CSV table of all heavy atoms in Angstrom, one decimal:
chain,number,residue,atom,x,y,z
H,290,GLU,N,5.9,-17.2,-26.0
H,290,GLU,CA,6.2,-15.8,-25.5
H,290,GLU,C,5.2,-15.6,-24.3
H,290,GLU,O,4.0,-15.5,-24.6
H,290,GLU,CB,6.0,-14.8,-26.6
H,290,GLU,CG,7.1,-14.8,-27.7
H,290,GLU,CD,8.4,-14.2,-27.3
H,290,GLU,OE1,8.4,-13.3,-26.3
H,290,GLU,OE2,9.4,-14.5,-27.8
H,291,VAL,N,5.7,-15.5,-23.1
H,291,VAL,CA,4.8,-15.4,-22.0
H,291,VAL,C,5.1,-14.0,-21.3
H,291,VAL,O,6.0,-13.3,-21.6
H,291,VAL,CB,4.9,-16.5,-20.9
H,291,VAL,CG1,4.7,-17.8,-21.6
H,291,VAL,CG2,6.3,-16.4,-20.2
H,292,HIS,N,4.2,-13.7,-20.4
H,292,HIS,CA,4.2,-12.3,-19.8
H,292,HIS,C,5.2,-12.2,-18.7
H,292,HIS,O,4.9,-12.3,-17.5
H,292,HIS,CB,2.8,-11.9,-19.3
H,292,HIS,CG,2.6,-10.5,-19.2
H,292,HIS,ND1,2.3,-9.6,-20.2
H,292,HIS,CD2,2.8,-9.7,-18.1
H,292,HIS,CE1,2.2,-8.4,-19.8
H,292,HIS,NE2,2.5,-8.4,-18.5
H,293,ASP,N,6.5,-12.0,-19.1
H,293,ASP,CA,7.5,-11.9,-18.1
H,293,ASP,C,7.7,-10.4,-17.7
H,293,ASP,O,8.8,-9.9,-17.7
H,293,ASP,CB,8.8,-12.4,-18.6
H,293,ASP,CG,9.3,-11.7,-19.9
H,293,ASP,OD1,8.4,-11.2,-20.6
H,293,ASP,OD2,10.5,-11.6,-20.2
H,294,CYS,N,6.6,-9.8,-17.2
H,294,CYS,CA,6.7,-8.4,-16.7
H,294,CYS,C,7.8,-8.4,-15.6
H,294,CYS,O,8.5,-7.4,-15.4
H,294,CYS,CB,5.4,-7.9,-16.2
H,294,CYS,SG,4.6,-9.1,-15.0
H,295,PHE,N,7.8,-9.5,-14.8
H,295,PHE,CA,8.9,-9.7,-13.8
H,295,PHE,C,9.3,-11.1,-13.9
H,295,PHE,O,8.6,-12.0,-14.4
H,295,PHE,CB,8.3,-9.4,-12.4
H,295,PHE,CG,7.9,-8.0,-12.3
H,295,PHE,CD1,6.5,-7.6,-12.5
H,295,PHE,CD2,8.8,-6.9,-12.0
H,295,PHE,CE1,6.1,-6.3,-12.5
H,295,PHE,CE2,8.3,-5.6,-12.0
H,295,PHE,CZ,7.0,-5.3,-12.2
H,296,SER,N,10.6,-11.4,-13.6
H,296,SER,CA,11.1,-12.7,-13.8
H,296,SER,C,10.3,-13.8,-13.0
H,296,SER,O,10.1,-14.9,-13.6
H,296,SER,CB,12.6,-12.7,-13.2
H,296,SER,OG,12.6,-12.2,-11.9
H,297,ILE,N,9.8,-13.4,-11.8
H,297,ILE,CA,9.0,-14.4,-11.1
H,297,ILE,C,7.7,-14.8,-11.8
H,297,ILE,O,7.3,-15.9,-11.7
H,297,ILE,CB,8.7,-13.9,-9.6
H,297,ILE,CG1,8.0,-15.0,-8.8
H,297,ILE,CG2,7.9,-12.6,-9.7
H,297,ILE,CD1,8.8,-16.2,-8.6
H,298,THR,N,7.2,-13.8,-12.6
H,298,THR,CA,6.0,-14.1,-13.3
H,298,THR,C,6.2,-15.2,-14.3
H,298,THR,O,5.4,-16.1,-14.5
H,298,THR,CB,5.4,-12.8,-14.0
H,298,THR,OG1,5.7,-11.7,-13.2
H,298,THR,CG2,4.0,-12.9,-14.3
H,299,GLU,N,7.3,-15.1,-15.1
H,299,GLU,CA,7.6,-16.1,-16.1
H,299,GLU,C,7.8,-17.5,-15.4
H,299,GLU,O,7.2,-18.5,-15.9
H,299,GLU,CB,8.9,-15.7,-16.8
H,299,GLU,CG,9.2,-16.8,-17.9
H,299,GLU,CD,10.5,-16.5,-18.7
H,299,GLU,OE1,10.7,-15.3,-19.0
H,299,GLU,OE2,11.2,-17.4,-19.1
H,300,ALA,N,8.5,-17.5,-14.3
H,300,ALA,CA,8.7,-18.8,-13.6
H,300,ALA,C,7.4,-19.4,-13.2
H,300,ALA,O,7.1,-20.6,-13.5
H,300,ALA,CB,9.6,-18.5,-12.3
H,301,VAL,N,6.5,-18.6,-12.6
H,301,VAL,CA,5.2,-19.2,-12.1
H,301,VAL,C,4.3,-19.5,-13.3
H,301,VAL,O,3.6,-20.5,-13.3
H,301,VAL,CB,4.6,-18.1,-11.2
H,301,VAL,CG1,3.1,-18.4,-11.0
H,301,VAL,CG2,5.3,-18.1,-9.8
H,302,THR,N,4.4,-18.7,-14.4
H,302,THR,CA,3.6,-19.0,-15.6
H,302,THR,C,4.0,-20.4,-16.2
H,302,THR,O,3.1,-21.1,-16.7
H,302,THR,CB,3.8,-17.9,-16.6
H,302,THR,OG1,3.4,-16.7,-16.0
H,302,THR,CG2,3.0,-18.1,-17.8
H,303,MET,N,5.3,-20.7,-16.1
H,303,MET,CA,5.7,-22.1,-16.6
H,303,MET,C,4.9,-23.2,-16.0
H,303,MET,O,4.5,-24.2,-16.6
H,303,MET,CB,7.2,-22.3,-16.4
H,303,MET,CG,8.1,-21.3,-17.2
H,303,MET,SD,7.9,-21.4,-19.0
H,303,MET,CE,6.8,-20.0,-19.3
H,304,GLU,N,4.6,-23.0,-14.7
H,304,GLU,CA,3.9,-24.0,-13.9
H,304,GLU,C,2.4,-23.9,-14.3
H,304,GLU,O,1.7,-24.9,-14.4
H,304,GLU,CB,4.1,-23.9,-12.4
H,304,GLU,CG,5.6,-24.1,-12.1
H,304,GLU,CD,5.8,-24.1,-10.5
H,304,GLU,OE1,4.8,-24.0,-9.8
H,304,GLU,OE2,7.0,-24.2,-10.2
H,305,ASP,N,1.9,-22.6,-14.3
H,305,ASP,CA,0.4,-22.4,-14.6
H,305,ASP,C,0.1,-23.0,-16.0
H,305,ASP,O,-1.1,-23.4,-16.2
H,305,ASP,CB,0.1,-21.0,-14.5
H,305,ASP,CG,0.1,-20.5,-13.1
H,305,ASP,OD1,0.1,-21.3,-12.1
H,305,ASP,OD2,0.2,-19.2,-12.9
H,306,LEU,N,1.0,-22.9,-16.9
H,306,LEU,CA,0.8,-23.4,-18.3
H,306,LEU,C,1.0,-24.9,-18.4
H,306,LEU,O,0.9,-25.5,-19.5
H,306,LEU,CB,1.7,-22.7,-19.3
H,306,LEU,CG,1.4,-21.2,-19.5
H,306,LEU,CD1,2.5,-20.6,-20.4
H,306,LEU,CD2,0.0,-20.9,-20.1
Side-chain angles (χ1 to χ4, degrees):
Chain H
E290 288 282 335
V291 304
H292 198 83
D293 58 330
C294 51
F295 300 93
S296 51
I297 183 65
T298 323
E299 180 177 325
V301 165
T302 300
M303 294 300 99
E304 297 184 8
D305 291 341
L306 293 174

